[in-house]
Amino acid sequence: PTTAPGPAGGPAPVAASVAALEPLIPARGVGAEQALSELTTLLAAGSVDPAEPWCAAHLHCPPLAVGVAADVAAGALNPSMDSWDQAPAASELERAFLTAIAQLCYPAAPEPDALVTTGGTESNLLGLLLAREQHPAVQPVCGRNAHHSVARAAWLLGLPAPLPVDCDGERMNLAALDAVLRETGPAVVVATAGTTNTGEIDPLREIARLCQKHGARLHVDAAYGGLALCSKRLRPLLDGLDEADSVALDMHKFGWQSVAAGLFAVRDGADLEALSVRAEYLNADDDTEAGLPDLLGRSIRTSRRPDAFRMAVTLRALGIAGMGELVERCCATAREVADAIRRHPSLELLREPTLSTVLFRPTSGDVGRVRRDLLGSGVAIVGRATMPPGEVWLKLTLLHPHTTAADYLGLLDATVAAARAESPEGAVAS
């Protein structure tokens, strides 16, 4: 890489750089210029750089400059999205943006709607919350491939622990889902469109049909893969998404926004009435009757930032097709990197990528230690995933739309070198 993807040395030197400023908050201030300079320098030196290709561990994207600039403008104006009198233009822009997002997810639905969230965790919580509002004793059901936030949401809402459904690879097994739903009462099924481990997508159309057969509600966690809707080429991967009752999307993954940029869409906008709440100082009855929009029921949060603004600016700049092209580039690069791994004599590929996640490992050596060695040296930041039957794989999550496979060939060689350095045999088998 042209620059280091992250700091070398692990947690200790980063902690020491912060400790050197003690007391961080002094009794007498050091002044704005010094404080900004000191802490920004420290932050930059001790941060990972998602724009560096070899920083590829997580669904952690390099934000587009247009979104960052829009965020600065919004931060300076500081609209608070809990009442119209604090955010007149921001609330109207949010409404128009969310209408477009809802129609992207549900092009044939008569009255879809959407909300801004902090990400997939909050969106999954909302998906289960709306199901609980319809059936207080609803039983969550999800594949063993589901994100950990599904179980956490059930716990927070006082619902039973999700019933796990077996998977074929990383895709929910339809026969297993059918068997689970035959034994439950009211249920909400959480399907996944872009798993954290591999980026795999559940068979959404078939899952929707099983939910209809058993009278279950369907929520799709498409936090990773949902923005593939912007691509004509990739949209078929999400066939059936429009039959879900609710959908989670994240624009801080595919979407290239700074965290947090989550979205939650529903096929029937009336479902969101369950979130309505009254606070006299924010949405008094006579104010709403007089025509002032009620923003308080547009989130489970009260004070919240105008995050829709930077998302709207970005999508207006790129258009749906432009966003889809960026998603396509990442997925194409992932396929090319997978081909390079397949050809490499000292590396093993798990399977062909569905989106932009590539799982691989050296043919010998301790995979977890190889990852930590790359991280500790500051050479590369790669992820890990444990796949049945308990095998650890290295993970590349490719979210930089302007890289090519050539940018990652050196990383593959560095991985082999790290495995060779720590292997008891002293070399990686070919």
Side-chain angles (χ1 to χ4, degrees):
T2 55
T3 59
V14 176
S17 69
V18 176
L21 292 178
E22 289 295 335
L24 181 61
I25 302 177
R28 296 180 64 85
V30 299
E33 183 175 348
Q34 180 178 336
L36 184 62
S37 175
E38 286 178 337
L39 295 189
T40 302
T41 300
L42 187 151
L43 177 66
S47 289
V48 301
D49 182 4
E52 165 53 53
W54 290 20
C55 180
H58 302 288
L59 287 161
H60 181 193
C61 69
L64 292 170
V66 66
V68 174
D71 203 28
V72 172
L77 293 166
N78 199 29
S80 184
M81 304 300 295
D82 47 323
S83 65
W84 187 88
D85 59 351
Q86 299 176 85
S91 64
E92 289 302 311
L93 285 167
E94 180 182 85
R95 179 193 57 77
F97 171 72
L98 291 174
T99 296
I101 292 298
Q103 291 170 347
L104 179 67
C105 294
Y106 297 105
E111 295 187 48
D113 203 349
L115 304 176
V116 174
T117 70
T118 54
T121 294
E122 183 182 339
S123 295
N124 289 340
L125 176 69
L126 285 173
L128 267 60
L129 173 62
L130 296 187
R132 190 194 68 177
E133 290 304 293
Q134 293 190 358
H135 298 286
V138 71
Q139 171 65 62
V141 175
C142 64
R144 296 187 186 276
N145 60 349
H147 193 264
H148 66 84
S149 62
V150 177
R152 178 181 286 185
W155 169 69
L156 285 169
L157 294 168
L159 295 172
L163 294 177
V165 178
D166 289 336
C167 295
D168 297 322
E170 277 257 300
R171 303 182 84 216
M172 196 184 301
N173 180 284
L174 296 171
L177 175 61
D178 191 29
V180 168
L181 291 179
R182 282 200 303 267
E183 301 298 322
T184 64
V188 53
V189 174
V190 179
T192 305
T195 63
T196 303
N197 274 348
T198 66
E200 191 58 86
I201 296 172
D202 282 332
L204 302 179
R205 180 74 63 187
E206 292 81 1
I207 290 173
R209 289 171 181 161
L210 284 175
C211 289
Q212 292 163 7
K213 170 185 172 182
H214 293 284
R217 190 173 173 91
L218 175 59
H219 171 71
V220 176
D221 177 2
Y224 178 7
L227 268 294
L229 287 170
C230 296
S231 162
K232 291 182 179 179
R233 185 179 305 167
L234 298 173
R235 194 178 302 156
L237 293 172
L238 300 172
D239 178 55
L241 184 77
D242 59 337
E243 294 195 32
D245 295 286
S246 56
V247 176
L249 305 171
D250 276 3
M251 284 191 68
H252 55 244
K253 297 180 173 69
F254 285 147
W256 295 279
Q257 299 296 294
S258 302
V259 174
L263 297 163
F264 175 75
V266 291
R267 187 175 56 196
D268 183 355
D271 286 354
L272 297 181
E273 293 175 5
L275 303 181
S276 296
V277 63
R278 286 291 174 189
E280 180 70 18
Y281 73 106
L282 294 174
N283 60 351
D285 288 339
D286 58 327
D287 279 348
T288 55
E289 289 167 4
L292 293 182
D294 176 7
L295 305 187
L296 198 54
R298 303 295 297 172
S299 177
I300 58 173
R301 294 168 284 149
T302 303
S303 299
R304 57 187 179 90
R305 301 180 73 249
D307 291 318
F309 178 73
R310 55 192 161 89
M311 294 187 258
V313 169
T314 302
L315 275 169
R316 184 169 177 82
L318 295 177
I320 298 295
M323 183 65 73
E325 183 181 344
L326 297 187
V327 178
E328 288 175 8
R329 289 182 193 175
C330 292
C331 295
T333 299
R335 291 192 296 271
E336 292 168 6
V337 171
D339 287 341
I341 293 169
R342 193 180 288 110
R343 295 192 301 268
H344 200 296
S346 299
L347 295 174
E348 179 183 0
L349 179 72
L350 177 66
R351 63 169 71 102
E352 186 72 12
T354 298
L355 293 171
S356 66
T357 300
V358 183
L359 262 61
F360 73 109
R361 63 185 179 187
T363 52
S364 68
D366 184 321
V367 175
R369 187 179 300 168
V370 167
R371 174 183 177 272
R372 290 189 294 275
D373 287 348
L374 292 171
L375 176 64
S377 65
V379 168
I381 303 171
V382 298
R384 61 180 288 164
T386 302
M387 304 298 295
E391 298 174 338
V392 179
W393 294 77
L394 298 175
K395 178 171 68 171
L396 298 178
T397 309
L398 307 185
L399 289 183
H400 196 315
H402 300 303
T403 59
T404 67
D407 292 305
Y408 299 97
L409 298 182
L411 172 55
L412 302 184
D413 291 336
T415 301
V416 171
R420 181 180 294 117
E422 67 85 28
S423 173
E425 294 82 12
V428 174
S430 60

